[in-house]
Amino acid sequence: METVILAVVIAVVVLGALGGLVIGSRRRKSLPPPPPAAPDITAPPAEPHVGDEAETPRDEPRRTIEEVDLPDGSAPVVVEELPAPEIEIPEPTAGRLVRLRARLSRSQNALGKGLLTLLSREHLDDETWEEIEDILLTADVGVLPTTELVDRLRERVKVLGTRTPDELRGLLREELLKLVGTDVDRAVKTEPEDRKPGIVMVVGVNGTGKTTTTGKLARVLVADGRTVVLGAADTFRAAAADQLQTWGERVGAYTVRGPEAGDPASVAFDAVKEGKEMGVDVVLIDTAGRLHTKTGLMDELGKVKRVVEKHAPLDEVLLVLDATTGQNGLVQARVFAEVVDITGIVLTKLDGTAKGGIVIAVQRELNVPVKLIGLGEGADDLAPFEPEAFVDALIGD
């Protein structure tokens, strides 16, 4: 019995010890953190509106309008003005070709000196006259004018008999002047009697100096006391309008231009309209020399001419030819003459390798006078054509 009671007591003690161990281990485990306190919720700042400052305004001292010093208006407001472009005064055109004679004679004397040398021979046989013909043909005089000149020279030399250098020079001068023509009106028509302005259209292929010639012609007219408006109707060549406008600004001429690759006829029409409204003396229209469209160049030039003539008839149509191209220039001249009525010719680059005979040939081909010649790259190297000064430069002193 005692044994049973002892076993029961031991069991109770053991169970109590085990229960204490379990409770102790549970107490040693980490307890979860207490729940956080409810956060303070703050409303987001309002979106800034136009005119609001980007930061919170600070308390700063402010002044009323009465406390602000305002300008009293006593000091004038200085506005810096851009300087006006300097206007050049072109060289007078009277006698310009005479002043440029030395430049012309440097490249043209071969014709005159060659003829005088051959004509000075004691015996002028058929071989000598053939040499004379060769010199004239080489100088681009043309076949028919050469034949006429040689025939007249042969006849006059035969009658003259003895020939001194002065007599030969005088003889050659007379015959060349007959071919060049001294009784032709070579004035550029810019002053119609019944209206203003005079209208001049400048035509020619690219590369002949057409736009430059138009700018130089403006200088010639300004030098003679005329007022000018320029029409940049060569809209198909890059920078052509800029080039023409630069020429105009140098002498105070206004330039009418349109968009690149625009309608040339429209620009020409507007130029004449502007010239009439401004009351200028002359409108110069620079035209295209090559087109990159399906329309042919000649068709476009014909259109420009028709559109301009809605204002008034053209007073001049000047054809610009590169004198160094010789007989090839005559081919161009024929084509242009079929479309627009050429009234005058401008020969450029006569100071280079050009032959002086082209003056005679192109006049004979078109029955149109040479009115202006270009003798260099200078701004005032475009001169009215004077037959006497030209022939004197050909044959030399």
Side-chain angles (χ1 to χ4, degrees), residues 208-258:
T208 59
K210 178 171 48 60
T211 299
T212 299
T213 297
T214 305
K216 290 183 178 181
L217 179 55
R219 295 180 65 89
V220 169
L221 295 171
V222 170
D224 291 340
R226 315 282 177 77
T227 53
V228 179
V229 162
L230 298 172
D234 186 357
T235 60
F236 295 94
R237 185 169 65 87
D242 292 337
Q243 180 184 357
L244 189 64
Q245 184 170 352
T246 300
W247 278 103
E249 289 175 348
R250 293 169 67 177
V251 293
Y254 179 69
T255 301
V256 176
R257 54 189 297 176

Side-chain angles (χ1 to χ4, degrees), residues 371-392:
K371 295 191 173 184
L372 298 161
I373 58 174
L375 296 169
E377 299 297 329
D380 293 320
D381 289 344
L382 184 71
F385 182 73
E386 301 169 17
E388 292 83 1
F390 179 75
V391 170
D392 288 341

Side-chain angles (χ1 to χ4, degrees), residues 49-128:
H49 298 285
V50 176
D52 291 347
E53 295 291 342
E55 61 180 356
T56 304
R58 295 173 296 206
D59 292 334
E60 294 181 352
R62 298 178 180 272
R63 294 184 295 171
T64 64
I65 191 170
E66 290 79 6
E67 297 172 330
V68 178
D69 294 330
L70 299 177
D72 57 5
S74 59
V77 178
V78 179
V79 179
E80 183 178 357
E81 296 183 359
L82 294 176
E86 183 178 353
I87 304 299
E88 300 178 9
I89 301 176
E91 177 185 350
T93 58
R96 185 179 286 186
L97 183 56
V98 175
R99 295 192 296 274
L100 297 172
R101 175 180 168 183
R103 184 175 301 170
L104 177 64
S105 62
R106 281 198 298 268
S107 59
Q108 308 301 326
N109 264 350
L111 171 61
K113 287 184 177 180
L115 293 176
L116 286 174
T117 300
L118 291 174
L119 291 172
S120 299
R121 290 180 180 178
E122 184 176 354
H123 299 289
L124 297 178
D125 52 16
D126 290 341
E127 184 176 348
T128 302

